[in-house]
Amino acid sequence: KERNALGQVVGLWPFSDDVMKPIPGHSTLDGFVSHYMITIDGHETPIPKSEIIHWKWMVDPEQQWRWIGGLELAIRDVQSDTESSRFAYDMFKNNAIPPVVVTLTEGDELTEEKTDRLRKAWLKRYGGRSRTAPAFLEAGMTVQKLGLNMQELNLSELKNIPESRICAAFGVPPTIALLYVGLKRSDYGDGNARKSFSETTLKALWRSFASELTNGL
């Protein structure tokens, strides 16, 4: 809270949890929060809790003096979505095909030098823009698919689960967030979804924020 010379609140300065940390209390007199600590340029300054309006997305059940956000609740699904995107990128980067295994003829000795030569020759001839070129192998060699292709992996369905869970953590319908999991089931008549989003998510946040401001002032 910013106060004038008479001690009246004339302004509010917003800070995130990265800068302003609640310090837990140690008695019933302190309550859940004893005071706050702000860190600017590496310098910590304590601030009485009477000078802070602490609005929380929701209370952390394991640390009641701090808040927990929707992103923190959905971090596993965020990481899963990131990994699936990274995997799809790596698949396309590697010619959009899964790894293959080359089997030599029985009794043919496979040395490290021969392995490097065959690997370089394969990538040079059948990688990049030459990915659709026909392959010609040495006598007795066979090529066998080792992994799954893009259709078998069904990456679109793999992304639907984390997308829907992330939206659920924030209380946002996937249709409103314009995510694929929502758009593929949308007929662009999203009036009910927007109404539900406003009434069940936004209004609750507005009431919570307004209540916190009113009590703090």
Side-chain angles (χ1 to χ4, degrees):
K1 301 173 185 176
E2 180 183 356
R3 299 179 182 272
N4 59 16
L6 299 177
Q8 299 169 324
V9 178
V10 295
L12 297 173
W13 290 81
F15 289 96
S16 73
D17 191 55
D18 292 333
V19 179
M20 187 77 69
K21 299 288 186 182
I23 307 301
H26 299 287
S27 66
T28 55
L29 184 62
D30 290 338
F32 281 126
V33 177
S34 171
H35 61 281
Y36 290 83
M37 190 72 70
I38 186 172
T39 304
I40 303 294
D41 295 332
H43 299 287
E44 294 185 339
T45 303
I47 299 179
K49 62 181 180 181
S50 61
E51 300 305 302
I52 298 293
I53 299 176
H54 189 180
W55 181 63
K56 314 170 188 67
W57 177 275
M58 64 178 66
V59 175
D60 186 341
E62 296 183 354
Q63 304 176 78
Q64 289 85 355
W65 56 89
R66 65 181 296 271
W67 65 280
I68 188 170
L71 187 61
E72 191 171 351
L73 292 171
I75 192 64
R76 283 182 179 269
D77 298 294
V78 173
Q79 291 171 343
S80 298
D81 187 69
T82 302
E83 285 300 319
S84 64
S85 298
R86 184 178 295 137
F87 181 79
Y89 171 78
D90 289 338
M91 288 280 289
F92 283 113
K93 184 179 179 181
N94 292 298
N95 303 331
I97 59 174
V100 296
V101 58
V102 179
T103 305
L104 304 182
T105 56
E106 185 177 355
D108 193 359
E109 184 179 358
L110 184 63
T111 63
E112 185 175 353
E113 180 181 355
K114 187 173 184 178
T115 302
D116 291 339
R117 177 178 65 82
L118 291 174
R119 182 184 294 110
K120 291 178 181 178
W122 181 275
L123 293 176
K124 181 179 180 180
R125 294 179 185 177
Y126 312 118
R129 294 181 180 273
S130 302
R131 67 185 63 164
T132 57
F136 296 92
L137 305 177
E138 296 184 13
M141 286 186 178
T142 58
V143 177
Q144 181 180 358
K145 186 179 69 171
L146 189 63
L148 303 175
N149 58 35
M150 300 292 285
Q151 185 176 4
E152 291 168 336
L153 285 171
N154 200 359
L155 290 176
S156 62
E157 292 298 325
L158 189 64
K159 291 179 68 68
N160 286 346
I161 296 175
E163 279 188 358
S164 59
R165 287 178 177 172
I166 293 168
C167 284
F170 284 93
V172 181
T175 306
I176 304 300
L178 300 179
L179 294 178
Y180 175 71
V181 65
L183 292 178
K184 73 176 185 177
R185 293 180 173 84
S186 171
D187 57 358
Y188 296 97
D190 303 327
N192 290 333
R194 296 181 182 278
K195 182 178 179 180
S196 173
F197 175 53
S198 298
E199 292 183 349
T200 61
T201 300
L202 292 182
K203 283 187 177 180
L205 292 175
W206 293 337
R207 283 194 296 266
S208 172
F209 187 63
S211 175
E212 202 70 52
L213 282 179
T214 301
N215 292 334
L217 294 174

